[in-house]
Amino acid sequence: AQAQLFGLDDPEEAVGKTDFDFFTEEHAQQAFDDEQRIIRTGEPIVNLVEKETWPDGSITWVSTTKVPLRDSTGRTIGTFGISRDVTEQKRAEDALNQERILLRTLIDNIPDHIYVKDTQSKKLVANRTEYTRLGFKSEAELIGKDDFDIFPREQAQEFWEVDQKVFREQKPIVDIVNHIQTPDGKERWLQSSKMPLFNTEGVLIGLVGIGRDITNFKLAERALKESEEKFRTLFESMTEMVVLHELVLDKQGKPINYRITDCNKVFSKITGLSRDSAVG
């Protein structure tokens, strides 16, 4: 098998040659240094995954074990090696690793909170948004913690109950809106979805959560509501009759009338029409 890799018709053709006759100088030098160390120390190399670069530029990978070769007196006279081709396995590992890097890059740059919990609701994975907005400097600081370690007990209990429902029913729960207080005391709103996570055998092993920060939307909604309440208070406290109208258009887009959209209590008192009766 080794002779075939070297392109030789007969294994005997390799006798007397060195790795420098078959590989690039870089790889041959590394192999030479490894073997000299084995001869010098008597310590083997076991299952070393090494890259082989061939003169034509092709690259293969092998898992190599090299041990001292001794004569009948125990004197080291060389080395004995076995290499198993693991090129396809290495390429598959590299492809998988590249996918992991791509996925990690993606989730760390998404502005949404993304996390994974085990069945005890302890964090296994947390993207950058998740750990920084919860007041942690790194993902490692958050891993292993549950919501009771992070939030007030009442808030953590709400999260835990949703987690338990996902585990119990093994179905996603989507668009949950939570009003939370972060460890640094900030008020925030999250719109979250949680999905069960299964292993390759179909066994439930945790959940995946995605949370979108909707704080700005909620604050704007609150401000609008407060503004409307102030307007309504002012509107109803006026001593004059106030009526709001909207323009009514015909099919050609020409104005033909006005329709009442709102009125205050003075209007109702003068006309005898309630607001609900007048609107429209």
Side-chain angles (χ1 to χ4, degrees), residues 129-157:
T129 300
E130 172 75 356
Y131 68 74
T132 56
R133 288 191 179 172
L134 291 180
F136 294 90
K137 294 180 179 179
S138 68
E139 181 184 30
E141 291 182 5
L142 184 54
I143 298 309
K145 289 182 170 58
D146 60 27
D147 292 320
F148 291 96
D149 298 317
I150 304 167
F151 299 101
R153 184 167 187 81
E154 183 178 351
Q155 182 68 71
Q157 184 68 27

Side-chain angles (χ1 to χ4, degrees), residues 220-277:
E221 188 179 63
R222 176 191 286 177
L224 178 60
K225 183 179 180 181
E226 290 174 353
S227 178
E228 289 175 343
E229 289 174 351
K230 290 178 181 177
F231 170 77
R232 176 56 56 185
T233 300
L234 176 63
F235 192 65
E236 294 296 353
S237 65
M238 295 182 72
T239 57
E240 295 85 0
M241 181 177 73
V242 183
V243 186
L244 302 183
H245 300 85
E246 67 177 355
L247 189 62
V248 179
L249 306 177
D250 63 14
K251 292 182 180 180
Q252 285 72 41
K254 295 180 179 180
I256 57 174
N257 207 336
Y258 291 92
R259 180 183 294 118
I260 296 175
T261 59
D262 207 345
C263 59
N264 66 353
K265 292 179 180 179
V266 176
F267 174 88
S268 298
K269 184 177 180 179
I270 293 174
T271 64
L273 292 173
S274 67
R275 179 176 178 273
D276 290 341
S277 300

Side-chain angles (χ1 to χ4, degrees), residues 183-200:
D184 58 3
K186 293 181 179 179
E187 181 183 43
R188 309 203 74 83
W189 281 265
L190 288 181
Q191 184 176 28
S192 303
S193 296
K194 297 182 179 182
M195 296 140 281
L197 178 65
F198 303 93
N199 64 14
T200 53

Side-chain angles (χ1 to χ4, degrees), residues 200-212:
T200 53
E201 285 76 38
V203 177
L204 180 73
I205 58 173
L207 63 79
V208 178
I210 301 175
R212 174 160 297 176

